[in-house]
Amino acid sequence: MNVPLLDIVFQNDRYYLLFDDEKILDSTISGEWHVYADGDYLCSVSNCKVSEQLKVPGRIFLETQENLNKLENIFRRLKNVILSSDKINL
């Protein structure tokens, strides 16, 4: 399953990943997500859960305490960022 990542934000010792596709809720227990941008593998993200603190109608926030500083720093320069529940070859 592939889900587009809309934004990534660091706040209060954790990273929040923003989505608008509810498919992300079906796989939050998968354990590990693989991040791809513009067709290239970037990194893996694990230990995500639905945020209890950030709630916006029509949007889903996953939170993790994993260090995603590298991803956050390059995110704004990327065009097509997706999370995949499977390691894929794009």
Side-chain angles (χ1 to χ4, degrees), residues 75-86:
F75 181 81
R76 304 284 182 260
R77 291 180 272 153
L78 302 172
K79 290 185 171 90
N80 183 22
V81 181
I82 62 168
L83 264 68
S84 176
S85 56
D86 301 312

Side-chain angles (χ1 to χ4, degrees), residues 4-9 16-19 60-61 72 75-76:
L5 175 62
L6 301 179
D7 202 359
I8 181 171
V9 177
Y16 295 92
L17 307 171
L18 174 63
F19 303 90
I60 297 114
F61 286 92
E72 182 188 27
F75 181 81
R76 304 284 182 260

Side-chain angles (χ1 to χ4, degrees), residues 15 17 19 24 27-33 44-51 61-66 68 83:
Y15 283 91
L17 307 171
F19 303 90
I24 195 77
S27 296
T28 57
I29 57 172
S30 70
E32 185 172 45
W33 289 94
S44 293
V45 178
S46 56
N47 301 320
C48 291
K49 65 179 184 175
V50 176
S51 176
F61 286 92
L62 297 185
E63 64 180 61
T64 182
Q65 290 186 317
E66 188 172 336
L68 300 178
L83 264 68

Side-chain angles (χ1 to χ4, degrees), residues 2-15:
N2 298 332
V3 182
L5 175 62
L6 301 179
D7 202 359
I8 181 171
V9 177
F10 180 76
Q11 181 179 341
N12 298 332
D13 81 342
R14 65 195 69 216
Y15 283 91

